[in-house]
Short mmCIF file of all heavy atoms in Angstrom, two decimals:
data_model
loop_
_atom_site.label_atom_id
_atom_site.label_comp_id
_atom_site.label_asym_id
_atom_site.label_seq_id
_atom_site.Cartn_x
_atom_site.Cartn_y
_atom_site.Cartn_z
N LYS A 137 -54.61 114.27 -66.09
CA LYS A 137 -53.60 114.66 -67.08
C LYS A 137 -53.12 113.42 -67.81
O LYS A 137 -52.49 112.54 -67.21
CB LYS A 137 -52.41 115.35 -66.40
CG LYS A 137 -52.71 116.75 -65.90
CD LYS A 137 -51.45 117.42 -65.34
CE LYS A 137 -51.74 118.85 -64.91
NZ LYS A 137 -50.52 119.53 -64.40
N ALA A 138 -53.44 113.35 -69.09
CA ALA A 138 -52.91 112.30 -69.93
C ALA A 138 -51.66 112.84 -70.62
O ALA A 138 -51.71 113.89 -71.27
CB ALA A 138 -53.95 111.86 -70.97
N VAL A 139 -50.56 112.15 -70.44
CA VAL A 139 -49.27 112.63 -70.94
C VAL A 139 -48.89 111.86 -72.20
O VAL A 139 -48.83 110.63 -72.19
CB VAL A 139 -48.18 112.47 -69.87
CG1 VAL A 139 -46.83 112.96 -70.39
CG2 VAL A 139 -48.57 113.21 -68.59
N VAL A 140 -48.67 112.61 -73.27
CA VAL A 140 -48.24 111.99 -74.52
C VAL A 140 -46.75 111.69 -74.43
O VAL A 140 -45.94 112.57 -74.10
CB VAL A 140 -48.53 112.91 -75.72
CG1 VAL A 140 -47.99 112.29 -77.01
CG2 VAL A 140 -50.03 113.16 -75.83
N ASN A 141 -46.39 110.45 -74.68
CA ASN A 141 -45.00 110.02 -74.52
C ASN A 141 -44.08 110.73 -75.52
O ASN A 141 -44.31 110.69 -76.73
CB ASN A 141 -44.90 108.50 -74.71
CG ASN A 141 -43.56 107.95 -74.26
OD1 ASN A 141 -42.82 108.64 -73.54
ND2 ASN A 141 -43.25 106.73 -74.64
N GLN A 142 -43.05 111.39 -74.98
CA GLN A 142 -42.06 112.07 -75.82
C GLN A 142 -40.67 111.77 -75.27
O GLN A 142 -40.46 111.76 -74.06
CB GLN A 142 -42.29 113.59 -75.82
CG GLN A 142 -43.64 114.02 -76.36
CD GLN A 142 -43.78 115.53 -76.34
OE1 GLN A 142 -43.11 116.24 -77.07
NE2 GLN A 142 -44.65 116.03 -75.47
N ARG A 143 -39.75 111.56 -76.16
CA ARG A 143 -38.37 111.32 -75.77
C ARG A 143 -37.76 112.62 -75.23
O ARG A 143 -38.01 113.69 -75.77
CB ARG A 143 -37.57 110.84 -76.97
CG ARG A 143 -36.10 110.58 -76.70
CD ARG A 143 -35.89 109.33 -75.88
NE ARG A 143 -34.46 109.12 -75.59
CZ ARG A 143 -34.01 108.12 -74.86
NH1 ARG A 143 -34.86 107.23 -74.37
NH2 ARG A 143 -32.73 107.98 -74.64
N TYR A 144 -36.99 112.51 -74.16
CA TYR A 144 -36.34 113.69 -73.60
C TYR A 144 -34.87 113.39 -73.32
O TYR A 144 -34.47 112.24 -73.17
CB TYR A 144 -37.04 114.14 -72.31
CG TYR A 144 -36.81 113.22 -71.13
CD1 TYR A 144 -35.78 113.48 -70.22
CD2 TYR A 144 -37.59 112.09 -70.92
CE1 TYR A 144 -35.56 112.64 -69.13
CE2 TYR A 144 -37.38 111.26 -69.85
CZ TYR A 144 -36.36 111.53 -68.95
OH TYR A 144 -36.12 110.70 -67.89
N GLU A 145 -34.08 114.45 -73.23
CA GLU A 145 -32.65 114.32 -72.95
C GLU A 145 -32.28 115.24 -71.79
O GLU A 145 -32.36 116.46 -71.92
CB GLU A 145 -31.82 114.70 -74.18
CG GLU A 145 -31.80 113.64 -75.27
CD GLU A 145 -30.99 112.41 -74.89
OE1 GLU A 145 -30.20 112.49 -73.95
OE2 GLU A 145 -31.17 111.36 -75.55
N PRO A 146 -31.90 114.68 -70.65
CA PRO A 146 -31.39 115.55 -69.57
C PRO A 146 -30.03 116.12 -69.96
O PRO A 146 -29.26 115.49 -70.69
CB PRO A 146 -31.27 114.59 -68.38
CG PRO A 146 -31.16 113.23 -68.98
CD PRO A 146 -31.90 113.26 -70.27
N GLU A 147 -29.75 117.33 -69.49
CA GLU A 147 -28.50 117.99 -69.84
C GLU A 147 -27.84 118.55 -68.58
O GLU A 147 -28.48 119.26 -67.79
CB GLU A 147 -28.76 119.12 -70.82
CG GLU A 147 -27.48 119.82 -71.29
CD GLU A 147 -27.77 120.93 -72.27
OE1 GLU A 147 -28.97 121.21 -72.53
OE2 GLU A 147 -26.81 121.55 -72.77
N VAL A 148 -26.56 118.24 -68.41
CA VAL A 148 -25.81 118.70 -67.23
C VAL A 148 -25.13 120.03 -67.55
O VAL A 148 -24.50 120.19 -68.59
CB VAL A 148 -24.77 117.65 -66.81
CG1 VAL A 148 -23.97 118.14 -65.60
CG2 VAL A 148 -25.45 116.32 -66.49
#
Side-chain angles (χ1 to χ4, degrees):
K137 288 185 177 182
V139 180
V140 176
N141 193 16
Q142 299 181 68
R143 179 73 182 178
Y144 72 94
E145 284 289 343
E147 183 180 4
V148 179

